[in-house]
């Protein structure tokens, strides 16, 4: 197998351990060689440790190959992606490790359409990188190769606002708590909400490479923020990940809402408001089967994909859809851009609440109830594939989706078993109507795993 550099979403590593300035230089050089001399690349970064070091090393690599670099500075990933698309750059690079723990940073490669570069492009960049097939450019063109590009944030803020009904949101007089995890969402979401007439309380909103909470927005990491939402009587809370392409909501009772639940609610709303879009949603197998339970009776087709939002975006690009999403708070609204987009998702949620004259808790309580378990078992990829095979056999009579591990769907439960794309573990996700049922399914899978491991 060819050596890999890119994971499911960019290159990631611990700063100065598994991701160094030397690697960034070579990666920039490889991307530059792939794009060719004379290309124009927009480079942005989030506020993580090592950001300037990696940005400058990547820039040096790109310029070595004769690529002109536009320095977009600190910005959320979706803001950079929008600028790449709208200004016709040949590509983009974002220095970010998204939701990973603070010691990580990373390098994302964006295609000219603003979507994460397809796997085929990454493979070509990897070949250049590992085989050192760099193409140095002639000295004669190497002047004025780095330029500041200051429009990224303003353009994104304006663009998100233009996609929602500003007046109806303003009229509601919302109070919203925003938690951008001490990262670049702080530069955009509070501003966008303010311009939508929202009273904003920002938490963890000073940029800090050692954030107050874990960058991944989860029930656990948003616990204190959720307490604040309830305590001050806010209508909504929103937590972003480090690069603010995800939005996880907190209802006014202080409950953290899983991303697939929020997405189901948004999809229902978008279906009624967008007759021009196909009645179809695209989601990864990691989402709850509740997506089908709720949306299918409304005549909305559900397309399942492998895990990874760039995969969802590419499917949407081909077949069209109302929206695409994952359970982790990634949500793609195609009328803005075909990438997950935390501030856009937040603005849409506010428009929905204003238009439907309702509270988020009311909408959540209307959804079917499932008891959910998410866990992982340390094992090699080979053993994890063996586990997948055994689970397929165990549930032979049931409906199965096998595009990424196996997802088994029963009358009152579903379970997904898949090898992780990045770590030596098997990921298990399951939901059942009853807690006992969920626990018994988990136990039977754990037993098989024990047998395989021994
Ligand atoms: Mg992210």
């Amino acid at each position: 197998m060819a050596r890999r550099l890119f994971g499911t979403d960019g290159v990631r590593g611990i700063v100065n351990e598994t991701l160094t300035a030397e690697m960034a230089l070579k990666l920039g050089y490889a991307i530059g060689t792939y794009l060719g001399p004379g290309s124009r690349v927009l480079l942005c970064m989030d506020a993580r440790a090592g950001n300037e070091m990696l940005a400058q090393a990547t820039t040096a690599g790109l310029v070595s190959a004769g690529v002109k670099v536009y320095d977009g500075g600190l910005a959320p990933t979706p803001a950079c992606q929008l600028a790449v698309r709208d200004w016709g750059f040949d590509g983009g690079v974002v220095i970010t490790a998204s939701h990973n723990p603070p010691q990580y940073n990373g390098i994302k490669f964006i295609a000219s359409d603003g979507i994460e570069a397809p796997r085929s492009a990454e493979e070509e960049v990897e070949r250049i990188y590992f085989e050192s097939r760099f193409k140095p450019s002639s000295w004669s063109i190497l002047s004025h190769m780095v330029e500041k590009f200051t429009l990224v944030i303003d353009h994104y803020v304006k663009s998100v606002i233009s996609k929602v009904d500003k007046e109806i949101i303003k009229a509601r007089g919302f109070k919203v708590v925003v938690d951008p995890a001490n990262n670049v969402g702080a530069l955009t979401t509070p501003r966008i909400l303010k311009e939508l007439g929202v009273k904003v309380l920002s938490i963890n909103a000073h940029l800090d490479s050692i954030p107050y909470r874990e960058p991944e927005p989860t029930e656990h990491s948003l616990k204190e923020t959720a307490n604040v939402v309830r305590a001050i009587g806010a209508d909504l809370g929103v937590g972003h990940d480090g690069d603010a392409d995800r939005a996880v909501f907190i209802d006014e009772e202080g409950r953290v809402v899983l991303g697939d639940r929020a997405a189901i609610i948004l999809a229902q709303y978008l279906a009624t408001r967008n007759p021009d879009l196909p009645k179809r949603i695209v989601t990864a197998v990691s989402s709850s089967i509740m997506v089908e339970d709720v949306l299918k009776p409304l005549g909305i087709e559900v397309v399942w994909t492998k895990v990874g939002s760039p995969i969802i975006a590419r499917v949407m690009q081909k077949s069209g859809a109302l929206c695409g999403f994952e359970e982790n708070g990634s949500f793609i609204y195609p009328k803005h851009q075909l990438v997950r987009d935390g501030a856009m998702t937040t603005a849409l949620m506010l428009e929905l609440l204003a238009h439907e004259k309702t509270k988020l808790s009311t909408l959540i309580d209307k959804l079917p109830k499932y008891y959910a378990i998410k866990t992982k078992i340390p094992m090699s990829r080979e053993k994890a594939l063996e586990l997948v095979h055994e689970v397929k056999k165990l549930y032979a009579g049931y409906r199965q989706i096998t595009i990424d591990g196996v997802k088994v769907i029963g009358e009152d439960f579903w379970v997904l078993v898949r090898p992780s794309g990045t770590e030596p573990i098997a990921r298990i996700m399951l939901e059942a109507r009853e807690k006992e049922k969920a626990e018994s399914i988990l136990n039977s899978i754990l037993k098989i795993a024990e047998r395989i491991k021994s």
Side-chain angles (χ1 to χ4, degrees):
M1 208 171 99
R3 276 192 287 173
R4 268 191 89 144
L5 196 58
F6 289 89
T8 42
D9 198 0
V11 178
R12 303 274 171 90
I14 297 173
V15 176
N16 273 355
E17 290 183 21
T18 48
L19 182 62
T20 61
E22 190 192 358
M23 287 170 72
L25 175 75
K26 282 174 66 184
L27 185 58
Y29 208 173
I31 292 172
T33 301
Y34 170 77
L35 291 172
S39 304
R40 297 155 65 248
V41 163
L42 177 65
L43 185 139
C44 297
M45 62 185 184
D46 71 14
R48 282 174 178 270
N51 56 354
E52 295 106 335
M53 172 185 87
L54 294 169
Q56 290 184 19
T58 309
T59 299
L62 286 161
V63 171
S64 304
V67 171
K68 179 151 181 171
V69 177
Y70 291 77
D71 171 13
L74 290 162
T77 298
C80 182
Q81 292 176 295
L82 187 75
V84 167
R85 186 195 72 181
D86 289 354
W87 268 279
F89 285 101
D90 299 300
V93 170
V94 189
I95 309 297
T96 177
S98 189
H99 63 280
N100 287 154
Q103 64 272 32
Y104 283 81
N105 211 326
I107 299 170
K108 273 191 205 194
F109 177 29
I110 310 294
S112 59
D113 57 9
I115 305 175
E116 289 81 353
R119 184 63 201 140
S120 55
E122 288 180 350
E123 278 170 0
E124 188 53 33
V125 170
E126 282 168 348
R127 271 194 289 273
I128 298 167
Y129 181 100
F130 287 117
E131 295 165 17
S132 299
R133 288 200 274 114
F134 308 111
K135 283 204 191 109
S137 102
S138 158
W139 67 270
S140 60
I141 65 159
L142 293 186
S143 63
H144 306 295
M145 294 299 276
V146 184
E147 197 174 291
K148 288 262 180 238
F149 188 81
T150 56
L151 300 170
V152 177
I153 298 281
D154 282 354
H155 177 62
Y156 179 69
V157 166
K158 274 189 207 138
S159 181
V160 169
I161 292 168
S162 74
K163 291 289 178 283
V164 289
D165 184 341
K166 191 173 167 178
E167 295 315 313
I168 199 170
I169 297 173
K170 267 194 170 165
R172 237 330 255 278
F174 286 115
K175 195 196 294 188
V176 175
V177 176
V178 177
D179 179 348
N182 300 104
N183 215 324
V184 284
L187 305 175
T188 46
T189 303
R191 241 184 90 185
I192 290 166
L193 298 190
K194 198 106 207 254
E195 292 195 30
L196 291 171
V198 172
K199 200 170 174 192
V200 180
L201 173 67
S202 300
I203 293 180
N204 301 328
H206 63 284
L207 300 188
D208 194 336
S209 58
I210 304 176
Y212 181 78
R213 68 158 168 91
E214 282 292 307
E216 180 158 25
T218 62
E219 191 171 6
H220 177 74
S221 70
L222 293 175
K223 203 168 168 230
E224 290 182 39
T225 308
N227 287 341
V228 174
V229 170
R230 196 180 51 238
I232 67 163
D235 300 285
L236 185 75
V238 56
H240 290 310
D241 66 334
D243 61 338
D245 54 4
R246 295 194 201 174
V248 168
F249 297 110
I250 301 161
D251 74 12
E252 76 293 344
E253 291 176 12
R255 293 180 298 181
V256 176
V257 178
L258 291 173
D260 46 3
R261 272 65 168 173
I264 290 169
I265 288 168
L266 283 167
Q268 286 174 286
Y269 174 68
L270 293 177
T272 62
R273 305 280 292 168
N274 296 279
D276 53 322
L277 290 177
K279 279 199 151 197
R280 177 182 304 122
I281 66 95
V282 182
T283 192
V285 285
S286 48
S287 288
S288 175
I289 197 67
M290 192 191 292
V291 173
E292 284 191 359
D293 293 351
V294 178
L295 299 182
K296 270 193 166 171
L298 303 173
I300 300 172
E301 182 194 350
V302 176
V303 178
W304 297 100
T305 69
K306 285 185 178 203
V307 169
S309 114
I311 296 171
I312 294 174
R314 295 286 168 198
V315 172
M316 292 174 72
Q317 193 176 37
K318 250 196 195 151
S319 62
L322 274 176
C323 61
F325 58 85
E326 287 188 280
E327 100 298 341
N328 58 18
S330 303
F331 188 87
I332 302 174
Y333 179 48
K335 284 193 174 173
H336 192 223
Q337 53 177 345
L338 278 174
V339 306
R340 68 197 141 173
D341 192 333
M344 186 69 249
T345 311
T346 308
L348 279 175
M349 182 56 85
L350 290 174
E351 186 192 271
L352 178 162
L353 295 176
H355 190 266
E356 308 285 298
K357 300 186 178 65
T358 187
K359 299 178 192 169
L360 183 55
S361 64
T362 310
L363 298 173
I364 292 297
D365 290 339
K366 278 188 195 157
L367 294 175
K369 297 278 167 295
Y370 275 96
Y371 182 81
I373 300 176
K374 203 173 170 176
T375 187
K376 54 191 174 188
I377 309 172
M379 50 168 54
S380 68
R381 190 177 165 81
E382 289 66 38
K383 297 271 181 196
L385 287 169
E386 209 177 317
L387 179 63
V388 168
H389 181 71
E390 289 300 318
V391 171
K392 275 184 194 168
K393 276 200 329 210
L394 179 66
Y395 292 100
Y398 289 82
R399 180 180 163 206
Q400 299 188 352
I401 299 174
T402 55
I403 41 183
D404 194 351
V406 61
K407 181 173 190 158
V408 178
I409 299 153
E411 274 298 313
D412 54 354
F413 76 95
W414 67 271
V415 55
L416 172 71
V417 181
R418 56 179 281 268
S420 160
T422 49
E423 297 165 76
I425 52 172
R427 290 194 187 280
I428 318 279
M429 295 176 80
L430 69 98
E431 290 185 355
R433 299 278 188 173
E434 305 295 334
K435 187 178 175 195
E436 294 70 34
K437 174 96 182 187
E439 282 165 353
S440 87
I441 293 167
L442 179 66
N443 281 334
S444 53
I445 291 171
L446 290 178
K447 258 188 213 150
I448 301 172
E450 278 311 311
R451 182 160 51 81
I452 288 172
K453 285 210 291 189
S454 62

